[in-house]
Amino acid sequence: MEVSLAGRTALITGGSKGLGFAMAELFTASGADVAIVARGKEGLDQAVKAIETANAKGGGSNMRGRVVAIAGDVAKPEDCKRIYDEAMKAFGKIDILVNNAGESRAVPFENLTDEVFETDINQKIFACIRLTRQVWPQMKERRWGRVINVLNTAAKAPRAASAPTSVTRAAGMAMTKVLAGEGAPHNVLVNALLVGLIESDQHVRGAKRAGVAVDDYLGQRAKAIPLGRAGRSMEFANIACFLASDAGSYITGTAINVDGGGAVWVNEFNA
């Protein structure tokens, strides 16, 4: 089955590296025009160059989409509005929104300050609310839209000392269900993808803190995964691309684990 995003436009937050980058690369290779969002301009510029290079090598470049970079902090309401405006200026419409931005914050409850909780809420929940609010009316008007919220397996089964991330991820799953019910009559489909142990920048940082090689770091954690290995970012991008396409036209309100069947405790909180 060929999955095509030809003629579609996408906005992907946290798009300069890791899962966001993999989705942007696959979406453009599948025909979509994509705006990637991150805070660092240098990382964005490198990501755009890498995606354009990959597309040029892939052949059939006339069927591949464009990619543009938008620097901004989705934790700030004014940046959310500007990000939307710049994406609209570039493409004229947004068909697909991927709320992917967010970093792990996990501390024992007694050490959890209001400031840390508020930061996490702004970066994850309010960013999702504000950006989805921007794209929602046009999706309803055209009767076609896709919203994908990237969460974590702890959204379903949080463990001790995993707040605030597990709490905001669980809220993101509830938001997904609410939006799916409201969007369905207008053919606006909303789903969540829950990340397990997947190769990403956070594990590079985790390996560095532990003073071990990344492969050893992931290998140790992969022992609890039934598939026996960490996932690859492109494997995550594959299901996101499917959900964003017409091929996923009867799927909404789901929260799909992308974790190799793995144990919940092997997640971002161990990074």
Side-chain angles (χ1 to χ4, degrees):
M1 179 178 66
E2 181 180 351
V3 175
S4 173
L5 297 180
R8 302 299 183 192
T9 61
L11 176 63
I12 301 176
T13 66
S16 65
K17 61 181 68 172
L19 300 180
F21 175 84
M23 288 185 282
E25 184 177 16
L26 185 57
F27 282 20
T28 57
S30 301
D33 291 332
V34 178
I36 56 174
V37 179
R39 286 175 291 188
K41 185 178 184 304
E42 182 178 353
L44 282 168
D45 290 342
Q46 292 173 352
V48 168
K49 183 176 180 180
I51 291 171
E52 289 176 342
T53 299
N55 284 346
K57 290 180 179 178
S61 58
N62 61 317
M63 296 299 293
R64 294 169 185 260
R66 297 173 291 154
V67 58
V68 300
I70 302 174
D73 184 352
V74 297
K76 299 177 180 179
E78 63 274 17
D79 275 21
C80 286
K81 179 62 167 64
R82 180 179 54 78
I83 287 164
Y84 170 77
D85 288 342
E86 291 190 21
M88 287 295 292
K89 183 177 180 180
F91 300 140
K93 65 185 178 77
I94 298 173
D95 299 305
I96 303 158
L97 171 64
V98 182
N99 291 304
N100 174 64
E103 60 190 87
S104 173
R105 297 180 183 88
V107 298
F109 177 75
E110 290 180 291
N111 300 333
L112 183 56
T113 65
D114 286 359
E115 181 182 7
V116 170
F117 223 136
E118 287 171 4
T119 297
D120 210 63
I121 288 170
N122 282 327
Q123 188 182 57
K124 294 169 183 171
I125 293 300
F126 270 116
C128 171
I129 291 170
R130 289 164 180 152
L131 288 171
T132 305
R133 182 187 293 139
Q134 295 288 338
V135 303
W136 198 257
Q138 59 174 284
M139 289 180 174
K140 287 177 60 178
E141 183 179 356
R142 290 195 305 276
R143 296 194 57 79
W144 202 101
R146 302 286 190 270
V147 178
I148 298 173
N149 295 322
V150 178
L151 309 175
N152 183 270
T153 54
K156 292 180 179 177
R159 67 173 180 83
S162 65
T165 288
S166 62
V167 177
T168 52
R169 292 310 195 191
M173 189 164 67
M175 178 64 65
T176 298
K177 297 287 187 178
V178 169
L179 290 172
E182 295 189 21
H186 309 282
N187 196 38
V188 179
L189 312 184
V190 186
N191 293 287
L193 293 177
L194 279 56
V195 182
L197 183 68
I198 297 179
E199 297 171 357
S200 67
D201 217 49
Q202 68 181 359
H203 296 304
V204 174
R205 296 193 298 270
K208 185 176 181 180
R209 288 195 299 269
V212 299
V214 175
D215 288 346
D216 293 337
Y217 183 87
L218 289 171
Q220 182 63 33
R221 283 153 180 75
K223 292 178 180 179
I225 305 296
L227 282 180
R229 62 175 176 83
R232 294 181 289 273
S233 58
M234 194 53 69
E235 290 178 307
F236 184 91
N238 285 337
I239 188 167
C241 191
F242 173 81
L243 290 175
S245 73
D246 285 323
S249 57
Y250 200 60
I251 304 172
T252 193
T254 62
I256 302 171
N257 284 25
V258 188
D259 64 355
V264 170
W265 66 266
V266 184
N267 57 36
E268 68 180 284
F269 308 120
N270 295 304

